[in-house]
Amino acid sequence: MKTAPFILIYLIRAAYAGAPTFSVNIRDGSFNSFEALNPKISWEGSASHESRDVDIDFGLEVSARPATSFGSLPKNVWGRLGGNIGGLDWSTRVDVSSLDSADVKVHMDYEPLEFEFDVIGKVGKDDNCVKKVGLSKSVDIVGGTATIKHLSDLTKGSRDVSIGYSTGKTAVEISAADSSPAKLRVSQEFGNDTVTPVLCSDGTIGLELKRRFEGGSSFTALVEPNDSSLKLKWSDGDWTAAALVDTSLDDGSVDVHMNKKIAVTCDWASNVLEKSKNLASCAFRVSNLTN
């Protein structure tokens, strides 16, 4: 049993596909210290079984904030298993953020019929249930594509249905839900600009304007139905700046936040894992000699 940690390290090294990544995000809100910084260490890997056409992806994300123990750190471990059977793309992803439960998502996509199926659920010691079931079907009609989507939230007993049609630079979607008014959304591209008005069955309206610039940056202004606030967003690579203007307040207050993601490849991780691999081999040899 003492060699178990070395076995785990050895398996991780065998499947190792890249060095860990260290990122720092600035969290939204007001903070009096460095609590606004949200550093994280993430690692991802992948493997495949060509003879069985199965792909495996996995990863780990751990908060780098100070903590009394590793167990108290916010973290997420995930794994995804997928493949193709007779033209049917399938995948199952499991996300584990605690030892008590795990979130599970099953996705199927049959491209010949343009049909998609999703199941989202949760498994654990005290709760095993299917939360949501979604269906999507696309059909090519009159030079465009019509799409029908249906999502059932089994936990709330609600349903969302939408019918959309897109052709070229124009898209139209009608959506209805048990808990909100029906919406008509029309999107039209004019060069680098996209205008999307939204009309609701209760008489409210919304509008989204998006401008794309050279180099991949974009600016978006959004007013949603039944919402008195104006949302502004600027994206430029790893930089993101957003502002929320509440037009219902007389003081014209504005909530502004910025986000910057810094990714640093840790070259030392490969050396550490290589030494761990050699240490695991020595542990196996010692174990064999003592047995």
Side-chain angles (χ1 to χ4, degrees):
M1 296 298 295
K2 293 182 179 181
T3 60
F6 299 106
I7 296 175
L8 177 61
I9 295 174
Y10 183 84
L11 292 176
I12 292 176
R13 180 62 183 91
Y16 183 74
T21 299
F22 178 75
S23 63
V24 177
N25 295 319
I26 300 177
R27 295 187 291 164
D28 302 341
S30 300
F31 302 91
N32 297 324
S33 62
F34 289 103
E35 293 180 358
L37 297 178
N38 187 24
K40 295 181 180 179
I41 298 176
S42 60
W43 173 80
E44 296 182 2
S46 62
S48 61
H49 197 300
E50 296 181 358
S51 61
R52 298 184 179 180
D53 195 16
V54 175
D55 296 325
I56 303 174
D57 301 310
F58 43 86
L60 170 67
E61 184 177 88
V62 181
S63 175
R65 295 196 302 269
T68 57
S69 64
F70 179 80
S72 62
L73 286 173
K75 53 186 174 293
N76 179 57
V77 180
W78 62 270
R80 190 189 73 88
L81 182 68
N84 183 283
I85 302 176
L88 174 66
D89 290 326
W90 63 273
S91 65
T92 301
R93 172 166 173 149
V94 179
D95 287 79
V96 181
S97 56
S98 68
L99 299 178
D100 297 331
S101 62
D103 296 324
V104 181
K105 180 178 181 180
V106 178
H107 175 75
M108 297 184 183
D109 183 359
Y110 190 55
E111 187 173 354
L113 296 179
E114 298 186 73
F115 177 80
E116 295 185 26
F117 176 70
D118 291 284
V119 177
I120 300 175
K122 184 177 183 179
V123 295
K125 295 189 302 183
D126 302 324
D127 187 12
N128 296 296
C129 65
V130 176
K131 291 184 175 180
K132 298 180 180 181
V133 176
L135 301 173
S136 175
K137 169 65 178 175
S138 299
V139 181
D140 295 332
I141 301 177
V142 195
T145 302
T147 303
I148 301 175
K149 298 180 181 180
H150 181 277
L151 178 64
S152 296
D153 191 330
L154 304 182
T155 58
K156 299 180 180 179
S158 61
R159 296 170 297 174
D160 296 346
V161 180
S162 66
I163 300 176
Y165 179 79
S166 61
T167 175
K169 297 183 179 181
T170 304
V172 180
E173 182 185 70
I174 300 175
S175 60
D178 293 338
S179 58
S180 61
K183 297 180 181 179
L184 171 62
R185 184 185 301 269
V186 181
S187 178
Q188 178 66 50
E189 293 186 19
F190 301 94
N192 294 327
D193 298 321
T194 302
V195 180
T196 307
V198 181
L199 305 177
C200 296
S201 58
D202 61 357
T204 58
I205 61 174
L207 180 63
E208 179 179 353
L209 303 175
K210 184 174 183 179
R211 161 61 70 93
R212 292 177 295 274
F213 301 93
E214 295 183 0
S217 59
S218 64
F219 175 78
T220 304
L222 173 64
V223 177
E224 295 183 353
N226 295 309
D227 193 345
S228 60
S229 61
L230 171 63
K231 299 178 181 178
L232 305 175
K233 182 179 180 181
W234 170 270
S235 298
D236 187 4
D238 293 334
W239 278 103
T240 300
L244 178 64
V245 183
D246 194 342
T247 58
S248 64
L249 300 179
D250 296 334
D251 58 0
S253 60
V254 180
D255 180 14
V256 181
H257 72 267
M258 300 182 65
N259 176 279
K260 169 65 174 177
K261 183 176 181 180
I262 306 173
V264 181
T265 302
C266 303
D267 296 331
W268 52 265
S270 181
N271 297 329
V272 171
L273 290 176
E274 184 64 33
K275 293 180 180 179
S276 300
K277 176 183 176 182
N278 297 333
L279 185 59
S281 300
C282 293
F284 285 133
R285 289 196 294 269
V286 172
S287 179
N288 292 332
L289 290 176
T290 57
N291 291 337

